[in-house]
């Protein structure tokens, strides 16, 4: 299969991201191949479905970005995973993998809506919609649960 320019740029950005991660970090991704590949796509990366994106049924027509933003801001959509369930599964994954990391940094490759819902639940955000809309691929955020902060770690 031949890669297009956008695919090549994505691969290059993922390689730059991995190069900047702490060498001793515990690497965990969602089950999506792209998330796993973003962290290197090898046996060092643990896959965990708790970091998968929000399950949902989106209509073919309409503004999907508007629907997604409304969701992270608190709107209920039929056939979308309830935000409380997303936050609960995500938090359980974070708790388990932090323990398994044994004091080492934990790096999770996940998805925008799921991460936003979790961060909103754990830390609160002034605007969940703005946080979600500002996410890029690949993006790296440092979440400090002790301090209750989240900030972009670096820009690629």
């Amino acid at each position: 299969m031949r890669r297009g320019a956008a695919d090549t740029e994505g691969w290059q950005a993922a390689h730059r991201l991995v190069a900047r991660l702490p060498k001793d970090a515990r690497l965990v991704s969602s089950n999506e191949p792209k998330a796993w590949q973003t962290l290197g796509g090898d046996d060092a990366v643990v896959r965990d479905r708790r970091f998968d994106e929000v399950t949902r049924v989106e209509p073919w027509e309409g503004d999907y970005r508007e629907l997604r933003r409304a969701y992270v801001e608190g709107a209920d959509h039929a056939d979308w995973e309830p935000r409380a369930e997303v936050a609960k599964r995500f938090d359980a994954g974070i708790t388990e993998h932090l323990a398994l990391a044994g004091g080492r940094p934990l790096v999770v490759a996940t998805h925008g809506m799921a991460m936003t819902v979790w961060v909103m639940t754990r830390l609160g955000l002034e605007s969940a919609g703005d946080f979600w809309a500002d996410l890029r691929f690949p993006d790296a955020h440092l979440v400090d649960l002790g301090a209750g902060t989240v900030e972009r770690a670096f820009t690629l």
Side-chain angles (χ1 to χ4, degrees):
M1 178 190 275
R2 216 174 126 209
R3 289 191 185 136
D7 290 338
T8 300
E9 288 175 28
W11 280 103
Q12 291 171 345
H15 287 292
R16 288 192 306 272
L17 173 71
V18 169
R20 297 195 61 185
L21 297 176
K23 299 300 179 210
D24 65 337
R26 178 172 177 80
L27 304 177
V28 183
S29 78
S30 76
N31 274 333
E32 183 184 306
K34 218 183 235 188
W36 176 71
Q37 291 167 351
T38 295
L39 292 181
D42 58 27
D43 291 340
V45 182
V46 177
R47 292 182 183 187
D48 189 326
R49 65 179 177 75
R50 293 175 290 189
F51 300 116
D52 288 358
E53 183 59 289
V54 171
T55 57
R56 65 200 179 278
V57 176
E58 290 180 311
W60 286 102
E61 68 284 337
D63 187 348
Y64 74 91
R65 288 193 59 81
E66 183 179 306
L67 283 171
R68 292 175 184 185
R69 183 175 182 134
Y71 172 83
V72 299
E73 290 179 336
D76 294 321
H77 299 315
D79 298 322
W80 287 48
E81 185 178 7
R83 284 176 308 285
E85 290 179 20
V86 174
K88 183 178 177 180
R89 69 171 160 84
F90 202 104
D91 198 56
I94 292 292
T95 300
E96 179 180 319
H97 289 288
L98 278 172
L100 292 170
R104 295 178 295 137
L106 172 63
V107 175
V108 178
T110 187
H111 308 276
M113 288 189 299
M115 178 182 166
T116 300
V117 167
W118 176 73
V119 167
M120 186 66 194
T121 301
R122 279 300 296 262
L123 307 178
L125 294 173
E126 210 166 291
S127 173
D130 288 347
F131 177 83
W132 173 80
D134 193 41
L135 294 173
R136 303 290 173 256
F137 175 81
D139 212 349
H141 283 74
L142 177 61
V143 178
D144 185 330
L145 294 175
T149 59
V150 59
E151 62 186 52
R152 181 168 271 121
F154 46 82
T155 303
L156 295 173

